[in-house]
Each structure stands twice: as C-alpha cells, then as structure tokens.
C-alpha cells in the first residue's frame, strides 16, 4: 500500500473514530484537552506505522488500544510522581481491564455510547459561551481541524484556536465532571447542547456576515451531530424535534438561492427543488418527537411549522391557520419577540395583512426588536400589501440599512425601488 | 456528500435465501452503528430479480420484461444512502460491513447542488471569499 493510500485510509478512520477515542480517553484521564493530545499521539503513531505495516484489520481497535496504553502510562507516571497509587489502581480496575477478565472489554464497549454523550454534554457545558461550545464540539465530536472550523465560520484561524484553548481551560478551571447530568439538571443541560448544535446549523444555513449565503458543510456537520445525539438519547422529544427542524430546513437549501446568488423567500421558492428525502426524514423525526409524548417543545413546534410548509404542494396550499395555532403555542413557550414577529406574518397570511400589522405595530411600540432588519422588512411587506406605498418603501430602505448580509441588502433595496411600480 | 452504496447480488440473494440469523444480527448492529454515527440516511434490501421487471425503452417502443435477469453479479440486492465527508470515509465504512460471502459494494457519489448548479457569479464569489479568509489569516 502506498503512503498516500495509507494516509487517506488513516484520515478516514480518524474522522470516524476520533470522537469515540477522545470520549473514552476523557473518562480515563478526566481532562478533555489531555485526552485529545493522547488521541492525536495515537494518530501520529498510526501515520508512522501503517504505511509500512499496512492498515490493521480493525483500525479502530488499534487506535483505541494504542491511545489507552498511552493514557495508562501517563497515569502511572503521574501516580508515581504524586504517590497516588490507590487512585490509579482504582481507575485501572474500574475502566481499563487487561486483567484477563473477558467481560471487562465488553463492559467498556457498552460505555462507548455513554462516553460520547458525556463528551457532548461536556463540550456544550453552560459555563461556555455558545460560540465556544460550537467550536469545541466541532473540534472534538465533529473531528474538524481548527482551520476547517475557521473557514466554515469565516473567521481567522487563530481566533478559533484561541476560542478552543480557552474553552478547555474554562472546563478545567470549573472542574466540570465527565458525567451525564442528573435528572433534575438534564433539561437545562440538554438545552445547552441543542442550542450549540442549532447555532452550528444556522451559521451554515444563513451566514450572518459576509457575502456567502449558504455554508453547506456546517449544515451537514450540525445534522450529523444532531443525528448522533438522537441515536444516543432516543427518549428526548426535543432532540428529535431539533433534528426534524434541521432536516426540514435543510431540505430547502437548493431552492433558497437564486441563480445570481440572491436569497429566494419561502413562498417564491421552486418546490420541485426541495429535497424529498430530507423532508421525509424530517417528517419521520417529527413523528418520533410526538410519539415520545409530553407535548412538543420549542424545537418540535418549529419543526411542526416547517412540516406545514414541507407538505404543502404549492404556496397557496399552505395551512396558515394551523401555522398560526403552532405559533401561538410557540409564543407562549418562548415569549420571544422574534417568534411574535413570525406569528404576525402567519396571521397576516391566514386572516389578512391588517391583522398582522396590528401585531407588528405592537412589537414596534415595545421596542424589543429595535435594529432588527426583519421587523422593518415584514412591516414593509404588510404595508405594501395594504397599498401604503410610501411607508412601505421607507421600511424596506430602513431594513436594508440594518442587515449585515450583502445579498439580503440588495434584495431589500430592490423591493424598496419596486414599491408602487407594480401592483402589490 | 451523499454516497449511494449498491450491494451487488450473489447467488444466494438471487435465490431469495435469507441470510443466517447470525449475519442478520451483525447487520443489525452495523446499521445501528451507521445510525449512531449520523452516517445513515436511508437503505433497503431488495427482493431477488425474479420478482422484478424491466421496462425497456427502445426508440419509441416500450416493452416490459419479467425477471429474473441473468447477469447476477451486476444486479443490485440492496442499497444504503450515506452522508459522509468524503469518499474515503465511505470506503472505510464499506470495509466494515458484514457481508458474509463474496459480494461487492459499489460506492457511487450522489450529484449535489454544487456539482452542477454553480453559476459563474457564485463561483467568483466563492473565490473572493476564500481570498478574504486567507487574507484574514495572515
């Protein structure tokens, strides 16, 4: 086997195995930064040995064994230094086996899933900022390099590298344990994980800065992380809800961008471009969220709204009254002004622009969305439908001045210029 | 990227024989691993070609030909659809599949939006963006 072939095979194995390795090693050494170093040592060993010896039959087991041995060596050295023999003996007894008992290895395998989940709860711990959680999760669970993460987020590589280093330091300083959250803490901790995954997805779905509207690789990473999480926590409705939401939103990726790179609004999209497979998966995920029981949470409700669009054959077929009902439930759960804005749009579609505008004007009066370009853009849209052209134009121009996305700004300026030139 | 994995038929699959209990269990575990890794997007097993038909288009003519079809090794017995980062990753997963006897897995990348729909403007924009990022990193 040529070195190049071996290296490609090693890279592929690494991408598949690195998260599991780091998770298992974190359980042993109790420090995620150290665990990552140990896993990478094993990778380096593979890169040195495999091109010569060939890729082993079970490369995953080879990497796991090599890195565990290094971890044990390290613990032994530390133990000798710190004279903590009892502790090390206990660790070895607990997790590492090698004592000739056949059951121990099987028991370790059972840990793998739990270890991955522990790792996810660790990298998405609430002591970290959303951005830090996203970067660390992509690094340790997604197996992405800092360079890849930086390119995906459109920031400089040192920024991401620093964010990751600081995150590891924060986790160590806060002595965050490597364990599954307690029952009464689970909802909050899970929300923290879901938020990080959804942040990654949204960065991919709509780049908030820069000129590129879709960053597909982040979208896929988020979907992958979500699917992994759903496999690990099948009894959590919000996990299924989030995965369903992401699948349904991702199903529209191809239709969201026009030929010139401009964004295309949902109702103007060519539905033939929607990805039927992702829609089917999204609907199945939503069914799973509903089947778990206990009512839909915020992600599940958003998925249900996305499902209304996904199952309408044309924009005119959309069941706006059901969407309004779902937004009512969502608004009650989240009390979010952004949700309220979306509810106003749905109400305008179901019951006429006047009714929607009343809610939007309430939002303007509350001031909670000051500076948010979509508030002005929605208001402009409703005013235009009501034939109040001058006000509509002013709102679109205001919205254009507030968005950070260049393509979106162009579109809003076009709408401003188009007000009055054609019938609404 | 998405990769379609075509599981080629063998005499056993064409005869409609079910795999052994042991192989089915292994396959179940393997499929579970694919799901847990976020790789599995879909997949099904197919009945032998004796239960299938071909609709032959010849110029303007259409004819329906009943199975079975002769070229066993070229027939498809099942498929998976995987979401992976690149073909190498798919190859690694394919190596791990518990297939039993002699059979081939054919890996075929699925056309994606960016394979053919990238307009010159988008391409130029992508280039510009890449430069920008590189400059930021210097």
């Amino acid at each position: 086997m040529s070195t190049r072939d071996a290296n490609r095979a090693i890279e592929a194995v690494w991408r598949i195995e690195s998260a599991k390795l780091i998770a298992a090693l974190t359980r042993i050494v109790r420090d995620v930064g150290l665990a990552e170093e140990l896993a990478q040592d094993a990778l380096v060993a593979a890169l040195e040995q495999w091109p010569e010896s060939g890729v082993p039959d079970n490369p995953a087991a080879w990497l796991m064994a090599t890195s565990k041995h290094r971890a044990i060596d390290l613990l032994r050295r530390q133990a000798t230094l710190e004279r903590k023999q009892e502790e090390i003996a206990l660790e070895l007894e607990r997790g590492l086996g090698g004592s000739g008992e056949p059951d121990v290895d099987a028991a370790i395998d059972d840990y793998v899933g739990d270890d991955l989940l522990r790792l996810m709860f660790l990298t998405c711990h609430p002591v970290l900022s959303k951005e830090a959680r996203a970067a660390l999760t992509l690094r340790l669970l997604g197996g992405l390099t800092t360079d890849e993460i930086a390119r995906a987020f459109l920031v400089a590589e040192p920024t991401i590298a620093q964010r990751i280093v600081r995150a590891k330091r924060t986790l160590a300083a806060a002595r965050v344990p490597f364990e599954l959250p307690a029952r009464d803490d689970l909802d909050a901790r899970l929300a923290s994980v879901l938020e990080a995954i959804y942040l990654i997805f949204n960065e991919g779905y709509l780049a908030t800065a820069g000129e590129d509207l879709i960053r597909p690789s982040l979208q896929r990473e988020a979907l992958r992380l979500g699917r992994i999480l759903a496999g690990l926590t099948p009894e959590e409705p919000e996990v299924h809800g989030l995965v369903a939401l992401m699948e349904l939103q991702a199903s529209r990726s191809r239709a969201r961008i026009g030929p010139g790179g401009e964004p295309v609004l949902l109702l103007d999209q060519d539905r033939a471009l929607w990805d039927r497979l992702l829609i089917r998966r999204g609907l199945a995920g939503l069914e799973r969220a509903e089947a778990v029981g206990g009512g839909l949470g915020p992600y599940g409700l958003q998925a249900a709204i996305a499902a209304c669009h996904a199952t309408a054959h044309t924009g005119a077929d959309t069941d706006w009254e059901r969407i309004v009902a779902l937004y009512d439930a969502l608004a009650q759960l989240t009390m979010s002004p952004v949700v309220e804005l979306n509810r106003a749009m749905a109400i305008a579609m179901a019951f006429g622009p006047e009714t929607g505008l009343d809610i939007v004007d309430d939002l303007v009066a509350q001031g909670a969305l000051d500076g948010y370009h979509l508030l002005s853009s929605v208001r402009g849209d409703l005013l235009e439908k009501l034939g109040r052209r001058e006000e509509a134009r002013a709102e679109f121009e205001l919205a254009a001045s507030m968005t950070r996305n260049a393509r979106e700004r162009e579109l809003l300026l076009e709408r401003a210029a188009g007000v009055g030139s054609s019938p609404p | 990227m998405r990769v379609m994995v075509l599981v080629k038929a063998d005499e056993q699959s064409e005869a409609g024989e079910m795999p052994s209990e042991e192989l089915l269990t292994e396959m179940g575990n393997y499929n579970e691993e694919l799901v847990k890794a976020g790789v599995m997007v879909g997949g099904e097993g197919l009945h032998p070609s004796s239960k299938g038909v071909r609709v032959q288009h010849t110029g303007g003519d259409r004819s329906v030909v009943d199975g079975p079809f002769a070229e066993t090794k070229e027939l498809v017995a099942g498929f998976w659809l995987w979401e992976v980062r690149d073909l190498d990753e798919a190859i690694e997963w394919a190596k791990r599949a518990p297939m039993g006897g002699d059979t081939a897995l054919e890996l075929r990348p699925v056309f994606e939006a960016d394979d053919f729909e990238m307009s010159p403007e988008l391409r130029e924009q992508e280039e510009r963006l890449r430069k920008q990022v590189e400059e930021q990193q210097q």
Side-chain angles (χ1 to χ4, degrees):
Chain A
M1 176 180 278
S2 76
T3 306
R4 193 174 151 268
D5 285 348
N7 284 352
R8 284 174 50 184
I10 295 167
E11 266 176 49
V13 174
W14 174 254
R15 272 196 302 271
I16 296 174
E17 300 300 331
S18 65
K20 279 182 255 172
L21 283 177
I22 292 168
L25 292 167
T26 307
R27 180 160 48 79
I28 297 169
V29 299
R30 304 277 154 179
D31 178 310
V32 75
L34 184 58
E36 191 191 5
E37 280 171 33
L38 287 164
Q40 271 167 349
D41 285 349
L43 173 68
V44 171
L47 286 166
E48 281 166 6
Q49 294 174 30
W50 293 2
E52 295 244 339
S53 63
V55 177
D57 285 344
N58 190 339
W62 190 97
L63 283 172
M64 189 64 93
T66 305
S67 53
K68 276 185 177 175
H69 281 133
R70 278 163 200 254
I72 296 170
D73 282 349
L74 188 86
L75 283 177
R76 283 214 182 97
R77 279 202 302 278
Q78 276 181 355
T80 318
L81 279 175
E82 298 166 18
R83 309 213 177 285
K84 280 204 269 177
Q85 254 95 347
E86 299 94 319
E87 195 180 307
I88 183 73
L90 196 67
E91 283 287 352
L92 287 170
E93 198 180 313
R94 235 190 241 154
L96 297 174
S99 57
E101 290 173 51
D103 289 351
V104 178
D105 269 346
I108 292 175
D109 284 346
D110 285 343
Y111 278 131
V112 170
D114 273 358
D115 275 349
L116 265 187
L117 192 55
R118 285 191 188 97
L119 185 62
M120 218 180 259
F121 276 117
L122 185 73
T123 61
C124 292
H125 196 279
V127 294
L128 303 173
S129 72
K130 266 192 291 188
E131 291 73 19
R133 272 180 256 158
L136 194 62
T137 304
L138 284 171
R139 178 92 182 94
L140 297 183
L141 281 138
L144 265 62
T145 64
T146 39
D147 180 51
E148 285 169 331
I149 300 169
R151 287 171 70 102
F153 278 114
L154 286 179
V155 295
E157 209 235 333
T159 313
I160 291 292
Q162 229 173 29
R163 197 176 287 170
I164 291 174
V165 168
R166 273 202 215 115
K168 287 183 201 159
R169 226 179 272 155
T170 306
L171 290 175
R175 297 181 181 278
V176 174
F178 185 64
E179 62 186 25
L180 297 178
R183 189 70 232 173
D184 57 346
D185 203 18
L186 184 64
D187 284 351
R189 294 288 302 278
L190 197 59
S192 183
V193 177
L194 297 177
E195 188 182 40
I197 294 177
Y198 198 41
L199 171 83
I200 295 169
F201 181 83
N202 276 325
E203 274 298 321
Y205 195 59
L206 179 73
T208 48
E211 301 190 346
D212 192 29
L213 211 63
I214 286 196
R215 309 220 55 80
S217 62
L218 275 187
Q219 228 184 70
R220 283 184 200 147
E221 285 305 326
L223 266 171
R224 190 176 165 118
L225 288 167
R227 288 175 191 153
I228 293 172
L229 185 61
L232 295 171
T233 59
E235 71 291 352
E236 293 297 336
E238 275 292 83
V239 176
H240 294 301
L242 175 62
V243 175
L245 175 62
M246 293 193 296
E247 308 246 30
L248 289 168
Q249 285 184 340
S251 76
R252 303 199 287 257
S253 289
R254 249 199 309 173
R256 293 177 70 239
I257 309 291
E262 74 284 0
V264 181
L265 298 174
L266 185 102
L267 290 177
D268 301 330
Q269 289 172 10
D270 175 359
R271 291 177 186 228
L273 293 176
W274 289 1
D275 186 323
R276 310 310 305 178
L277 179 74
L278 285 176
I279 289 177
R280 219 166 49 232
R281 289 182 58 92
L283 296 177
L286 181 59
E287 262 174 42
R288 277 194 293 277
E290 283 165 345
V292 175
L296 292 175
Y299 291 115
L301 285 169
Q302 291 175 76
I305 293 164
C308 287
H309 293 299
T311 48
H313 294 299
T314 66
D317 287 343
T318 312
D319 186 351
W320 289 107
E321 293 192 18
R322 174 162 165 74
I323 292 178
V324 169
L326 289 165
Y327 269 123
D328 285 345
L330 188 60
Q332 279 193 345
L333 273 183
T334 62
M335 310 288 279
S336 147
V338 174
V339 170
E340 192 63 12
L341 180 62
N342 282 308
R343 195 173 76 92
M345 276 202 290
I347 285 177
M349 293 305 291
F351 309 113
E354 193 85 51
T355 332
L357 188 62
D358 288 345
I359 298 175
V360 172
D361 285 340
D362 282 348
L363 277 168
V364 173
Q366 285 162 26
L369 290 176
D370 280 354
Y372 184 52
H373 67 281
L374 286 180
L375 178 65
S376 295
S377 150
V378 168
R379 191 158 186 275
D381 185 63
L382 297 179
L383 287 167
E384 188 181 16
K385 285 191 175 121
L386 290 167
R388 290 157 65 175
R389 291 173 178 174
E390 281 313 307
E391 289 165 277
R393 189 190 333 261
E395 286 289 353
F396 284 132
E397 280 166 2
L398 185 61
S401 73
M402 289 189 291
T403 178
R404 284 194 289 150
N405 186 295
R407 295 275 170 186
E408 212 163 12
R409 184 161 52 243
E410 266 171 45
L411 191 86
L412 285 164
L413 287 175
E414 265 170 42
R415 286 204 72 179
V419 172
S421 68
S422 59
Chain B
M1 68 188 288
R2 281 185 197 162
V3 173
M4 170 146 275
V5 182
L6 301 168
V7 181
K8 291 306 183 75
D10 58 17
E11 268 131 42
Q12 200 195 7
S13 71
E14 273 300 276
E17 289 169 29
M18 288 302 281
S20 68
E21 186 96 350
E22 192 191 342
L23 199 60
L24 280 178
T25 310
E26 276 181 48
M27 191 52 86
N29 293 340
Y30 176 70
N31 280 330
E32 201 180 312
E33 244 188 277
L34 288 171
V35 170
K36 282 191 172 163
V39 167
M40 173 84 92
V41 180
E44 306 288 349
L46 306 181
H47 280 294
S49 72
S50 57
K51 294 203 176 171
V53 295
R54 277 180 182 165
V55 179
Q56 182 71 43
H57 289 231
T58 312
D61 293 334
R62 312 279 183 271
S63 59
V64 177
V65 185
D66 288 324
F69 307 115
E71 55 288 5
T72 299
K73 295 267 172 204
E74 296 305 316
L75 298 174
V76 175
F79 67 89
W80 283 290
L81 196 56
W82 292 345
E83 176 81 55
V84 287
R85 294 218 185 89
D86 56 28
L87 193 58
D88 288 329
E89 193 183 324
I91 292 172
E92 178 57 31
W93 277 111
K95 282 185 188 163
R96 298 181 184 192
M99 300 313 299
D102 298 335
T103 185
L105 299 180
E106 186 172 314
L107 276 54
R108 304 278 298 271
V110 176
F111 265 120
E112 312 258 352
D114 26 333
D115 283 337
F116 48 89
E117 272 183 30
M118 204 144 163
S119 64
E121 289 89 348
L122 264 179
R123 222 177 291 256
E124 189 192 320
Q125 178 192 328
E126 182 82 16
E127 275 308 304
R128 214 166 45 230
L129 208 69
R130 198 162 290 157
K131 256 193 212 130
Q132 209 176 311
V133 172
E134 275 162 16
E135 279 162 17
Q136 278 172 5
Q137 285 172 353
Q138 278 161 9

